[in-house]
């Protein structure tokens, strides 16, 4: 039986949603200051309006929803999913005011793509947008990789006991430290350290390529944010193909793979447990499935004679597959090359890599390596049971930071989320096909959106039907939050209408 939410429930949800939107407004100060320094006065005005809108909404909500009650589990789930929608609506203001978005829906598409670390975009004339807007695009994906709830937990929450529910609602469930606020700050500590090192490496590489120092630093910063957050945004329309540099590709590969790893794994290595890299079920799963998909694509392209030599073949295949598997979305080939050169097998191998995705509690999307490991172990366990004596006791475990017994609950949870992802992948592929696109291309693009990858074979464009734009926005949202908190929001809205008092 559904119970209708009470006024106190709405006050709690409003209060913490307001905190998160204040965080979004404060994030906008960074691109605002960037535009001030670079004298982009039209963009400065765009961000002044946008910051004001976020702060007015956030503080007004705080004022109207005053309560001392803490978040419950259901409140946290609703806050996590609902705040992403509000943050998308308000976060789209700079895109819309810039004049580079064909509609407000297109602006919202790009912002949801940034928050969810997807990387698909509908902005027009990307090569000539302001530095401030480019900073906002990449800051969106960098903050979204950590999680906008994590941003609020880090700076705006003061030890709320219920904060863990909002954290889990954003698709994370790892506690690096006993307190979830401390965990959020540890995630930022790791990310900011990587930010300094990665930006420096890319900036130096850019200057070696001949970029002016300011341009090299800005591009290094933005490309790092796109790689670390596995978000795939880049400052140029040709993505990382723009740089035509093996050095740039190698640096971004390291950052993409590091960004796709579970934050708990980062913390384990950070605190001295380096053997975890070799024992963790997610790194093992990633190595196996990446090798498998790279071999498939390499064989298909070698047979077709697409690239002139083995080095060019491996360089192109490995880069696109690492990008797809980590759900980053960087590309060093032309968008339509996936169709005109890679062919059906190359498309399917890349789609498979994107569908599997990266690590749980990371910046990546997709089904996740830990679920692939759990399902594979469960299958082997059932095979052993089938061929073992009736009285034999067959047990299995996986290693993720510690040994975890493979009980029915663990397997069921992994299967449910996997089925949800596969259903979402199928829905986006079918809708794309119904709108006249080739099925394989529709599947590629739909999986890219739902797994938060961002690779494109040319389907995503401003001329795409509005129905598909809305579906991709929902798919990115569902995929990033891993369904449960979105379902909780749906249940909350239903209970408002049909619940009993």
């Amino acid at each position: 039986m559904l119970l209708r939410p009470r006024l106190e429930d709405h006050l709690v949800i409003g209060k913490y949603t307001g905190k998160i939107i204040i965080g979004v407004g404060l994030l906008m100060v960074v691109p605002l200051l960037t535009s001030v320094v670079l004298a982009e006065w039209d963009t400065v005005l765009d961000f002044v309006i946008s910051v004001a809108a976020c702060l007015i909404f956030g503080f007004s909500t705080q004022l109207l929803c005053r309560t001392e009650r803490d978040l419950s589990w259901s409140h946290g789930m609703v806050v996590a999913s609902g705040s992403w929608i509000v943050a998308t609506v308000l976060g789209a203001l700079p895109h819309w005011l810039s004049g580079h978005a064909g509609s407000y829906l297109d602006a919202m598409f790009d912002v949801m793509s940034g928050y969810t670390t997807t990387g698909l975009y509908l902005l027009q004339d990307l090569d000539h947008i302001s530095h401030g807007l480019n900073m906002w695009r990449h800051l969106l994906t960098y903050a979204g990789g950590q999680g906008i709830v994590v941003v609020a937990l880090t700076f705006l929450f003061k030890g709320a006991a219920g904060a863990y529910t909002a954290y889990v609602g954003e698709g994370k469930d790892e506690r690096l430290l006993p307190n979830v606020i401390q965990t959020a700050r540890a995630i930022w500590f790791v990310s900011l350290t990587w930010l300094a090192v990665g930006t420096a490496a890319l900036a130096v590489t850019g200057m070696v390529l001949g970029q002016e120092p300011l341009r090299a630093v800005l591009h290094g910063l933005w490309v790092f944010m796109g790689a670390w957050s596995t978000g795939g945004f880049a400052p140029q329309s040709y993505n990382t193909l723009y740089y035509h540099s093996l050095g740039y590709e190698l640096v971004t590969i390291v950052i993409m793979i590091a960004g796709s790893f579970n934050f708990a794994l980062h913390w384990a290595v950070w605190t001295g447990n380096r053997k975890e890299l070799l024992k963790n079920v997610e790194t093992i799963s990633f190595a196996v499935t990446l090798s498998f998909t790279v071999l498939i694509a390499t064989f298909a392209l070698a047979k077709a004679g697409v690239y002139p030599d083995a080095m060019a073949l491996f360089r192109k295949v490995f880069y696109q597959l690492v990008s797809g598997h980590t759900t980053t979305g960087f590309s060093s080939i032309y968008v339509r090359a996936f169709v005109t050169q890679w062919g059906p097998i190359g498309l399917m191998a890349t789609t498979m890599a994107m569908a599997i995705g990266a690590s749980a509690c990371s910046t990546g999307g997709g089904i996740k390596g830990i679920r692939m490991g759990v399902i594979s172990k469960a299958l082997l366990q059932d095979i052993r049971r089938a061929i073992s004596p009736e009285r034999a006791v067959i047990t299995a475990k996986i290693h993720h930071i510690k040994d975890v017994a493979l009980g029915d609950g663990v397997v069921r949870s992994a299967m449910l989320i996997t089925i949800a992802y596969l259903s979402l992948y199928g829905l986006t592929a079918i809708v794309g096909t119904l709108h006249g696109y080739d099925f394989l291309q529709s599947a590629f693009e739909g999986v890219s959106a739902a797994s938060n990858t961002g690779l494109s074979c040319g389907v995503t464009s401003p001329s795409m039907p509005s129905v598909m734009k809305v579906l991709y926005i929902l798919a990115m949202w569902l995929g990033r939050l891993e369904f449960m908190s979105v379902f909780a929001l749906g249940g909350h809205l239903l209970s408002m209408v049909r619940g009993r008092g």
Side-chain angles (χ1 to χ4, degrees), residues 37 61 70 101 120 127 142 159 166 194 226 236 241 245 251 257 271 314 316 318 342 346 357 410 437 440 453 490 493:
V37 170
T61 306
D70 200 2
L120 295 171
D127 295 328
Y142 183 64
W194 270 94
Q236 302 291 148
L241 175 63
S245 166
V251 175
I257 293 175
T271 53
F314 179 76
K316 294 297 184 185
F318 188 73
W342 282 47
V410 174
Y437 295 95
L440 276 180
T453 301
L493 295 175

Side-chain angles (χ1 to χ4, degrees), residues 196-213:
V197 175
T199 299
L202 288 167
V204 169
T205 305
M207 284 186 276
V208 169
L209 293 175
Q211 288 185 321
E212 296 176 356

Side-chain angles (χ1 to χ4, degrees), residues 245-255 318-319:
S245 166
L246 177 60
Y248 225 88
E249 291 171 19
L250 290 174
V251 175
T252 55
I253 284 173
V254 172
I255 299 169
F318 188 73
Y319 192 83

Side-chain angles (χ1 to χ4, degrees), residues 209-288:
L209 293 175
Q211 288 185 321
E212 296 176 356
L214 177 61
R215 185 175 178 83
V217 170
L218 287 175
H219 276 233
L221 174 63
W222 294 335
V223 172
F224 170 83
M225 287 179 173
W228 171 257
S229 66
T230 64
F233 278 160
Q236 302 291 148
S237 58
Y238 283 142
N239 208 268
T240 48
L241 175 63
Y242 171 80
Y243 302 99
H244 289 288
S245 166
L246 177 60
Y248 225 88
E249 291 171 19
L250 290 174
V251 175
T252 55
I253 284 173
V254 172
I255 299 169
M256 285 189 288
I257 293 175
S260 75
F261 283 165
N262 191 300
F263 281 113
L265 178 60
H266 276 283
W267 195 249
V269 173
W270 196 278
T271 53
N273 184 14
R274 293 178 179 82
K275 291 182 180 179
E276 186 65 30
L277 276 171
L278 302 176
K279 300 192 307 183
N280 194 282
V281 64
E282 291 187 306
T283 54
I284 294 170
S285 173
F286 177 81
V288 170

